[in-house]
Amino acid sequence: MNEVLGDEAFFDACEGGTCVGQLVKLLQVNFGARCDAYAAGGQLYLKFELYGTLKGQSEAQTIDQFNDPVKNFAEMQALIKKKVPAIFDKITKSPQEVCEAGRNIWENGVCKTAVQIAKEVCQSEGKNWIDGACKPRAQIACEVTTGRKWVDGECKTVEQIACESKGNVWVNGVCRSQVAVPPPIASETSGVQSGAKNDAEAYYKSGNENYKKGDYDKAISDFTEAIRLKPKFAEAYNDRGAAYPRKSADKAISDFTEALRLNPNYALAYYNRCVAYDEKGDYDKAISDCTEAIRLNPKFAKAYYNRGIVYYNKGDYDRAVADFKSALQIDPNNTNARNALEKIRGKGVFTDSRDGKKYKIVKIGNQTWMAENLNYNASGSKCYENNSANCAKYGRLYNWETAKKACPSGWHLPSKIEYEVLDKAVGGEKVAGKKLKAKSGWNKNGNGTDEFGFSTLPGGIGGSDGSFGGVGDFGYWWSSSEFNSGYAYRWVMYDDDEYALWYYDGKGSLFSVRCLQDYGEARR
């Protein structure tokens, strides 16, 4: 090689840069690779680059590379065995071939998994991807906040599903056989006995009976006739609004509004309009109406419950929890409120009283975690590259001794065993990285599914000498578990790996911190 290049001056001149491309051109070969081991910030790194022209491409380029921290020679060998063969495999295939060989889909020059495509379609339809499935907002509210099941576009209890599976009908909370449903007490057209055709109250009563049977079209017809006969019939407007299907929320809102014009102190109409606004996604108006219903009727448990649902849909878990608890205080048998409270317990926001910073929290299994890296300005902690914007995004970096004391009262730096409990709760360390990573922010398309709302980000690391590295590529989180007098265990995720891994490192290194709540009730 020296005969071609003259001497080692070539490598000296490009030290710290990408020399492989220049080397390939000088030697007039198709591919070239370079592997370096070096130390920075008290950390040993292994860097590998492969350069050349892939099949189907006209210009030479960097095909792949990695620059990963390693602890010792054994770890370096393991990294080479793990990553290098897969990189060399790419030089005989086009990007599309590499993509499709992995059972993925090549679309518009981008390699995508079937799940990625399904998620994109889901989001384009205005729905949410949760637990590996595309679900409308109404289904999420049904399953998460009420504990019911979503069947054929409706939110149903287990009892209702069992009832209907046997060919019966579910009427007003009671399972009845088809033949046991009483026939209408009046004609098919009016629902009112012939002697009371001019009686608004009779039409109103018939409308309510049809509503209870689930025959909403007839109920709407009866309420409409009651309104024709008695134009200032506030209750008929309210009940007709309640009979309109979900897709007719605007009609329902119009009727509830008219009922309130006729009777400004009509708490039930405020409650019903709250529900309709929630169905439309107009959460602020929904909250306002439920609040007014509660003002008019302080013992209105359903109004507290439904306002809690609206707060949940807005992501305001603290207020949702407070309303569900209020509903249960008024009505201890309100199973919907109890189920909703159980479902969202652990979700919410924690405010650090030391500096006023707020952190999302999430319950996974029996553990309650901060869903963000700690950003408390403890003595000795740093922002990545001393840039405050990195603190805002990734949290601060701490040495081990500081990390052990940095979490606020009621929270602590988790041990290795506690992190392993988390790994197990999400399916094991082989998938923990994928399931706990944030949906964006990782290099090399290394984003996760964030199925549990844990949202890890690659905050990089800092050295005791003031150096920094790895932001966007990997995240290290201190555990409270000591390896020996000079080293402690750290939890690790990389952009190109679905694992959550374990290594140990010098206690003076600067890593991220996630706080785990002390066992007991959440403080808010």
Side-chain angles (χ1 to χ4, degrees):
M1 184 177 294
N2 284 343
E3 293 177 1
V4 177
L5 301 178
D7 53 33
E8 294 296 327
F10 172 81
F11 288 106
D12 293 338
C14 68
E15 185 175 358
T18 300
C19 307
V20 184
Q22 300 174 44
L23 180 61
V24 166
K25 291 178 181 178
L26 285 169
L27 297 178
Q28 297 182 343
V29 295
N30 291 328
F31 300 100
R34 179 182 182 183
C35 188
D36 286 329
Y38 66 96
Q43 173 71 57
L44 182 64
Y45 289 86
L46 181 69
K47 182 176 182 179
F48 181 87
E49 300 170 90
L50 177 63
Y51 184 93
T53 306
L54 285 171
K55 180 180 177 181
Q57 296 179 339
S58 58
E59 296 293 329
Q61 58 184 292
T62 300
I63 297 169
D64 205 347
Q65 61 181 331
F66 64 81
N67 185 23
D68 289 357
V70 291
K71 191 62 194 173
N72 48 43
F73 183 70
E75 192 174 310
M76 187 184 303
Q77 285 182 308
L79 185 63
I80 292 171
K81 290 179 181 179
K82 177 182 176 182
K83 291 192 172 184
V84 172
I87 293 177
F88 274 116
D89 188 50
K90 295 180 179 180
I91 67 177
T92 60
K93 300 177 181 178
S94 69
Q96 181 173 352
E97 288 174 320
V98 173
C99 172
E100 293 172 347
R103 298 185 179 181
N104 298 317
I105 299 169
W106 186 259
E107 183 179 90
N108 299 324
V110 178
C111 186
K112 299 179 180 180
T113 65
V115 172
Q116 283 178 302
I117 293 175
K119 286 181 181 179
E120 291 173 0
V121 173
C122 177
Q123 293 170 353
S124 70
E125 295 175 349
K127 299 177 182 178
N128 293 326
W129 186 270
I130 293 181
D131 297 332
C134 187
K135 300 179 180 181
R137 182 180 61 83
Q139 181 178 356
I140 297 168
C142 168
E143 295 174 344
V144 174
T145 62
T146 69
R148 299 184 180 187
K149 304 290 185 182
W150 188 259
V151 180
D152 299 328
E154 294 183 34
C155 191
K156 299 181 179 182
T157 63
V158 174
E159 293 81 6
Q160 181 178 355
I161 295 169
C163 169
E164 294 173 347
S165 69
K166 298 176 181 178
N168 299 323
V169 292
W170 188 259
V171 181
N172 197 27
V174 178
C175 186
R176 297 177 177 174
S177 65
Q178 291 280 11
V179 296
V181 177
I185 60 173
S187 67
E188 281 289 317
T189 55
S190 70
V192 180
Q193 294 179 349
S194 58
K197 286 189 176 181
N198 294 321
D199 187 343
E201 294 290 344
Y203 276 104
Y204 177 70
K205 180 180 179 181
S206 177
N208 274 297
E209 290 173 351
N210 284 319
Y211 181 90
K212 291 177 181 178
K213 296 173 187 175
D215 194 339
Y216 301 120
D217 288 340
K218 286 185 179 179
I220 291 170
S221 177
D222 285 341
F223 291 135
T224 300
E225 187 63 16
I227 292 168
R228 187 187 70 79
L229 294 169
K230 186 179 176 182
K232 295 185 178 181
F233 202 161
E235 290 83 357
Y237 275 108
N238 176 74
D239 292 4
R240 186 175 69 175
Y244 281 119
R246 185 180 295 268
K247 64 183 178 182
S248 300
D250 287 332
K251 289 183 178 180
I253 289 170
S254 177
D255 272 359
F256 299 140
T257 301
E258 180 61 17
L260 289 167
R261 187 188 70 80
L262 295 169
N263 180 3
N265 295 320
Y266 198 173
L268 183 59
Y270 275 112
Y271 166 79
N272 283 331
R273 194 169 68 175
C274 166
V275 174
Y277 277 132
D278 180 42
E279 291 171 354
K280 288 191 66 178
D282 198 338
Y283 300 137
D284 291 338
K285 288 182 178 179
I287 290 169
S288 176
D289 276 352
C290 272
T291 301
E292 185 64 14
I294 292 167
R295 185 189 70 80
L296 292 167
N297 180 4
K299 298 295 184 180
F300 201 162
K302 286 186 177 180
Y304 278 107
Y305 166 73
N306 204 76
R307 190 174 67 176
I309 292 295
V310 181
Y311 279 129
Y312 178 88
N313 289 336
K314 284 191 70 176
D316 192 340
Y317 300 122
D318 286 348
R319 286 193 172 95
V321 166
D323 274 351
F324 294 145
K325 286 182 177 179
S326 295
L328 284 170
Q329 287 177 349
I330 297 168
D331 178 13
N333 296 319
N334 190 323
T335 55
N336 287 337
R338 190 175 303 281
N339 289 337
L341 189 61
E342 182 62 29
K343 288 290 184 181
I344 71 169
R345 190 179 299 277
K347 288 188 176 181
V349 175
F350 171 81
T351 301
D352 190 339
S353 61
R354 298 173 297 181
D355 57 10
K357 287 189 173 68
K358 297 180 181 295
Y359 297 90
K360 295 178 182 177
I361 60 175
V362 62
K363 186 174 183 180
I364 302 176
N366 293 319
Q367 296 174 315
T368 298
W369 293 82
M370 286 188 182
E372 304 172 62
N373 290 345
L374 187 66
N375 189 20
Y376 176 65
N377 189 4
S379 176
S381 65
K382 294 183 179 180
C383 299
Y384 187 89
E385 293 185 338
N386 300 309
N387 184 336
S388 61
N390 287 324
C391 271
K393 182 175 182 179
Y394 300 109
R396 299 184 74 85
L397 300 174
Y398 304 82
N399 63 47
W400 187 69
E401 290 294 343
T402 302
K404 289 194 298 177
K405 300 176 287 187
C407 291
S409 176
W411 300 77
H412 64 275
L413 182 68
S415 67
K416 184 174 184 288
I417 291 175
E418 287 172 320
Y419 267 118
E420 289 169 345
V421 169
L422 172 64
D423 290 343
K424 185 176 180 180
V426 301
E429 65 175 16
K430 292 183 178 180
V431 296
K434 177 181 179 181
K435 292 185 177 182
L436 296 177
K437 286 181 187 176
K439 294 180 180 179
S440 62
W442 290 79
N443 292 340
K444 300 179 185 176
N445 197 28
N447 300 317
T449 58
D450 201 15
E451 293 178 27
F452 297 87
F454 197 73
S455 307
T456 62
L457 286 171
I461 62 174
S464 56
D465 61 352
S467 62
F468 297 92
V471 74
D473 295 328
F474 53 80
Y476 289 2
W477 291 267
W478 278 123
S479 81
S480 63
S481 300
E482 193 173 30
F483 178 74
N484 60 28
S485 60
Y487 295 84
Y489 285 103
R490 54 175 165 85
W491 194 54
V492 184
M493 291 182 189
Y494 295 110
D495 57 0
D496 56 356
D497 204 323
E498 296 182 354
Y499 281 60
L501 303 171
W502 282 102
Y503 297 113
Y504 53 86
D505 216 311
K507 295 177 180 179
S509 300
L510 304 179
F511 301 152
S512 300
V513 164
R514 278 296 178 103
C515 297
L516 175 64
Q517 191 177 64
D518 296 345
Y519 298 106
E521 182 123 2
R523 297 183 182 180
R524 306 203 186 277

